Amino acid sequence: MDYDQICRSVLALDPKVRFAGICDETGETKYGGMREGMTSLLSPQESQKSNLQAVGRWGLRKSLTSKTGKGIYAMTEYEKLKRITIPLDDDHLLVVTTEVDADHGNIISNTLKLVKQ
């Protein structure tokens, strides 16, 4: 899986996608980044902390997969953005942030198609 290409493709899906990045189990963004011209709402340290929290939540979800099935994605809406997380493998999580008024359903659907390719 070409992680850089996935991030570029997600950013190209919709102009309301602010960020597409892939982090590892430490929360560090290893691939991708902000859309050109956009300013991050979080510092690099805050972004890593936010990613690490998302990684931790996915770890908790995994503990229930025998009953619920494997998690496909999670989406949280905040006052200033939406954040979508998609597990790629045991060590990588795709994090996508969008504007609040973005069509997250369409972005999620198309992102899942990209990830499955």
Side-chain angles (χ1 to χ4, degrees):
M1 196 177 294
D2 184 342
Y3 289 153
D4 280 320
Q5 182 57 47
I6 288 172
C7 294
R8 286 191 298 273
S9 296
V10 172
L11 285 169
L13 288 174
D14 190 302
K16 295 195 183 248
V17 174
R18 298 175 50 83
F19 172 88
I22 296 173
C23 68
D24 64 11
E25 68 278 354
T26 70
E28 183 178 347
T29 299
K30 296 291 192 176
Y31 306 91
M34 291 295 297
R35 176 180 295 285
E36 191 172 322
M38 288 275 175
T39 303
S40 179
L41 300 175
L42 303 176
S43 70
Q45 295 81 11
E46 291 167 330
S47 292
Q48 184 173 4
K49 182 178 180 180
S50 177
N51 290 345
L52 193 55
Q53 290 170 344
V55 167
R57 283 191 293 277
W58 276 104
L60 293 171
R61 288 182 188 106
K62 285 181 187 178
S63 70
L64 300 173
T65 57
S66 66
K67 297 198 177 205
T68 63
K70 182 180 173 189
I72 308 299
Y73 71 89
M75 202 276 304
T76 305
E77 183 171 342
Y78 299 92
E79 291 177 340
K80 297 182 180 182
L81 59 83
K82 294 178 184 177
R83 184 178 65 190
I84 302 157
T85 57
I86 300 171
L88 299 176
D89 56 38
D90 288 338
D91 299 321
H92 295 94
L93 186 67
L94 173 60
V95 179
V96 179
T97 63
T98 72
E99 300 292 340
V100 174
D101 62 344
D103 180 356
H104 62 268
N106 189 47
I107 293 168
I108 291 166
S109 175
N110 287 321
T111 299
L112 291 171
K113 288 176 190 171
L114 288 171
V115 168
K116 289 181 182 176
Q117 291 179 356

